Amino acid sequence: MTFSFELFLRVPVHGTTALLLLTLVSACARQEETRTVSVKHGDLSVIFRDNSDPSRLSGVDTLMNVEEAPDYDAYDPAEPGASAGLNFEHIISGHENPNNRHTPRHGKYTLLTEPGGHSVTLVRRPEDSPWRVASTFRYTVKAPHYIDFDFRCTPRDASLFGDHGYAMFFFANYMNDVEDVSLHFRGQQSADGPEEWISTNAP
């Protein structure tokens, strides 16, 4: 629910007194909690999901290009619980620990919508993570056919990661059948080479 409050300030302006009215609106309050949300923008129709259903993965649940393939879901819809993209899968520490597997799937991950309708954010409090890691994962659908994502996290107890003091954050895409399984990204083939499109396959 949106809320606002008004603050009156009386300040001197060139020897006179001016009365200023400031209306402040909480950005967080404008966000609304939900379990799933559909975003349609540009050529894309996207459904995002939280992790409140243990049998379903959080992140991008459905991704369709309504212009070029309106009946094709880019994420595998055939296997229950495996239709997910940009899914936060693991936090892996530098030592043996049962929490190295699938901890982002467990514990509350709140899905918030934002004004404007093109962005959603998954929010996790440190007390809901066995690693005491607070995190946000913001997805923004951009025309004509992109999803930008911004992941931020704050470890609140570094001692949980052991003597080596490092952690790996693992994200997964469970894709439907595709013509080309390669990953495509901008990069350089050599230190002095030009930036170009590079493709590679998983081993």
Side-chain angles (χ1 to χ4, degrees):
M1 178 180 297
T2 300
F3 73 88
S4 65
F5 63 91
E6 296 177 336
L7 175 65
F8 290 88
L9 296 179
R10 194 178 299 273
V11 296
V13 180
H14 299 298
T16 63
T17 299
L19 189 64
L20 303 181
L21 172 63
L22 303 179
T23 301
L24 306 178
V25 180
S26 168
C28 291
R30 291 199 303 268
Q31 295 180 322
E32 295 185 2
E33 182 176 341
T34 184
R35 291 188 175 182
T36 63
V37 61
S38 176
V39 176
K40 296 180 180 179
H41 188 51
D43 296 343
L44 299 183
S45 177
V46 189
I47 295 177
F48 298 94
R49 179 180 298 279
D50 70 0
N51 69 342
S52 57
D53 181 350
S55 67
R56 308 291 291 271
L57 301 181
S58 63
V60 181
D61 182 67
T62 299
L63 173 62
M64 294 186 174
N65 187 314
V66 296
E67 293 297 323
E68 298 186 13
D71 299 320
Y72 179 80
D73 184 357
Y75 294 114
D76 187 3
E79 185 177 346
S83 177
L86 301 177
N87 166 254
F88 191 10
E89 189 86 343
H90 306 291
I91 298 177
I92 302 172
S93 70
H95 63 283
E96 186 174 349
N97 189 301
N99 291 323
N100 285 334
R101 290 176 54 85
H102 301 301
T103 55
R105 295 186 183 184
H106 309 290
K108 188 174 183 178
Y109 229 137
T110 302
L111 180 64
L112 301 176
T113 62
E114 299 183 17
H118 299 155
S119 297
V120 301
T121 304
L122 283 167
V123 179
R124 189 166 210 186
R125 303 177 304 169
E127 54 265 37
D128 293 324
S129 166
W131 297 110
R132 297 287 297 170
V133 174
S135 62
T136 60
F137 205 155
R138 187 171 187 262
Y139 307 81
T140 301
V141 181
K142 295 286 188 72
H145 42 234
Y146 306 99
I147 299 178
D148 290 348
F149 65 95
D150 181 280
F151 177 77
R152 303 186 183 200
C153 66
T154 305
R156 298 294 176 85
D157 187 352
S159 67
L160 294 175
F161 294 101
D163 295 336
H164 297 294
Y166 72 84
M168 181 176 73
F169 292 76
F170 182 97
F171 302 88
N173 275 316
Y174 292 95
M175 304 297 295
N176 205 341
D177 296 334
V178 293
E179 293 180 356
D180 181 4
V181 298
S182 301
L183 298 175
H184 299 265
F185 56 94
R186 298 288 292 180
Q188 295 171 273
Q189 297 280 9
S190 63
D192 298 325
E195 182 180 297
E196 58 185 323
W197 280 105
I198 298 174
S199 64
T200 185
N201 294 336

